[in-house]
Amino acid sequence: MTRADNDHPLVDPFGRPIEYLRVSVTDRCDFRCVYCMAENMTFLPKAELLTLEELEIVCRRFMAVGTRKIRLTGGEPLVRRNIMQLISALGDEVGRGHLDEVTITTNGSQLSKMADDLYRAGVRRVNVSIDTLDADKFKHITRWGDLAKVLEGIDAALAAGIAIKLNAVALKGFNDDELGDMVDWCGKMGVDMTIIEVMPMGDIGSENRVDQYLPVSLVRANLAKRFTLTDLDYKSGGPARYTQVEETGRKLGFITPLSHNFCESCNRVRLTCTGMLYMCLGQDDNADLSAALRQHGVEGLDAAIVEAIGRKPKGHDFIIDRRNTAPAVARHMSVTGG
Ligand code: SAM
Ligand code: SF4
């Protein structure tokens, strides 16, 4: 097996360099968003999770072969005990120029108390997921989340010097009439926004995804009646297509995972909290990096990474089927991270 190294960064079979690692650091969460989790989720036993030390080793081995950006997600990453230990270690690598950025996707519930520490650790951008600015609707969609606490967290992060991007999942009959006001609100707050199409991942209990599905193309067409949306070339390293909202001066991104329009430029892979590496969000093929590391040490881990990237598929195959509402991918988003 050839060994990739700093001089020979990892490139997949389709010539895409793998520069972006998303790491789900826990499957646990203090919310139960209806499109993401069932109310009575069974979480993984702690022994199955990579330890924080193991997570750091895997991140460092990816950095050694060209990863420039690491995003921590979950589950809710900020509820993992001692997570600041990992964030600080990665932030130090940003300081040394070994990484461009360490970012976090969070529900914002812990931000008010952690914002200053995150800034000190080197975090400069955080994505906060909010699907509605109505406190009652927020409680309903998250099953018990407190919107006021999340908004407090956004204020604290902005005050600390951390840029925020709002992530909102577009949900038919839930927030379609509100997304324009959220775009306005983001303008006033000085934050960018991304609107995400709901994806068929994991059994979520009674909610029916066909009922939730709202094509982002339709959302965009509706918003274009109220705002002037100018296409931008800007790439965040993610799959969003960005526009500039001329009325607010902020960016607005649209993520349409059900189409294939971003696969060709996909530079990312995803690590689950149990150490499974998914080379594509929409496919089940994976590599057990936990077993490689635990059984064969860092050498085994390096070989497993190279071998896995060699299997990265060209694209995915998501379908929300109107006759069959079973998820296209059986694992939950909270396991792979959004
Ligand atoms: N707990 C954190 C949060 O909510 O931001 C991080 C993990 S969450 C799984 C990451 C993102 O995935 C969130 O923006 C969430 O709204 C989104 N998400 C979860 N389930 C989804 C689904 N089935 N389709 C589309 N987006 C989903
Ligand atoms: Fe938790 Fe995020 Fe999933 Fe909501 S979307 S249940 S906050 S992991």
Side-chain angles (χ1 to χ4, degrees), residues 187-261:
K188 292 193 185 90
M189 293 296 289
V191 308
D192 294 334
M193 178 173 175
T194 300
I195 297 175
I196 308 169
E197 209 161 77
V198 74
M199 287 188 257
M201 296 193 70
D203 182 8
I204 49 169
S206 57
E207 306 285 333
N208 181 332
R209 265 184 246 273
V210 173
D211 290 346
Q212 298 171 338
Y213 180 61
L214 175 62
V216 152
S217 52
L218 196 63
V219 173
R220 182 178 169 155
N222 281 333
L223 289 175
K225 292 179 193 153
R226 175 162 163 189
F227 301 99
T228 314
L229 306 178
T230 310
D231 280 318
L232 294 176
D233 279 340
Y234 170 83
K235 280 254 168 207
S236 65
R241 291 282 148 103
Y242 279 92
T243 63
Q244 163 102 357
V245 184
E246 299 301 343
E247 288 79 359
T248 66
R250 304 304 312 188
K251 290 192 191 74
L252 174 62
F254 297 93
I255 299 190
T256 53
L258 302 186
S259 74
H260 288 77
N261 65 5

Side-chain angles (χ1 to χ4, degrees), residues 35-36 73-76 105-107 129 169 197-199 209 333 338:
Y35 50 79
C36 179
T73 176
E76 174 44 42
T105 298
T106 172
N107 65 25
S129 304
V169 177
E197 209 161 77
V198 74
M199 287 188 257
R209 265 184 246 273
M333 185 74 111

